[in-house]
Amino acid sequence: MEEGKSDEWIASALGTSASSVQSFRSRNSIYRREVVPAIYSPREYSRYEGVLEKGGEPPGCPGVWFDPAVADDFRWKSVWEGTAEVEVRITPSRIVLVRKQRSDI
């Protein structure tokens, strides 16, 4: 059961309630380790404004524009500069870009 699944997910898969899963854990001394979010949420980050554009290139595709100051950020320079492709992960409250490769490699 320690494969990162939440009590809610386990309960849904078993057709029961999250509280019954928690009771089962308690009765059998099965304790959770630190709960890790599905998408990494850094504690230390830089903040820049951006714009989501409905009609980008190719036509009809969404686009994203960042504040030009992001190019001066040390994290951009050390990790993202030269990135050619990203994976886009979308949740109800976040859009996360994950670097896939560097163009200079």
Side-chain angles (χ1 to χ4, degrees):
M1 278 198 205
E2 275 305 321
E3 295 180 5
K5 306 295 186 194
S6 69
D7 288 346
E8 290 79 12
W9 186 94
I10 294 168
S12 175
L14 295 174
T16 188
S17 68
S19 62
S20 67
V21 172
Q22 292 166 356
S23 295
F24 175 84
R25 286 182 184 283
S26 180
R27 284 192 314 270
N28 293 284
S29 301
I30 302 171
Y31 302 106
R32 285 211 172 263
R33 296 183 199 150
E34 179 183 349
V35 176
V36 179
I39 294 182
Y40 176 68
S41 184
R43 295 173 194 238
E44 185 180 326
Y45 58 90
S46 299
R47 183 180 183 141
Y48 300 95
E49 292 187 10
V51 176
L52 295 176
E53 182 179 65
K54 289 184 181 181
E57 288 296 327
C61 292
V64 179
W65 294 89
F66 296 107
D67 181 331
V70 76
D72 297 327
D73 187 280
F74 74 94
R75 290 180 185 93
W76 178 269
K77 289 180 178 180
S78 65
V79 178
W80 290 91
E81 191 173 60
T83 298
E85 295 182 24
V86 295
E87 176 182 323
V88 179
R89 298 179 184 177
I90 300 174
T91 72
S93 61
R94 293 181 182 174
I95 296 175
V96 178
L97 302 178
V98 179
R99 182 173 55 103
K100 289 180 73 173
Q101 68 183 28
R102 291 179 65 114
S103 63
D104 60 346
I105 294 178

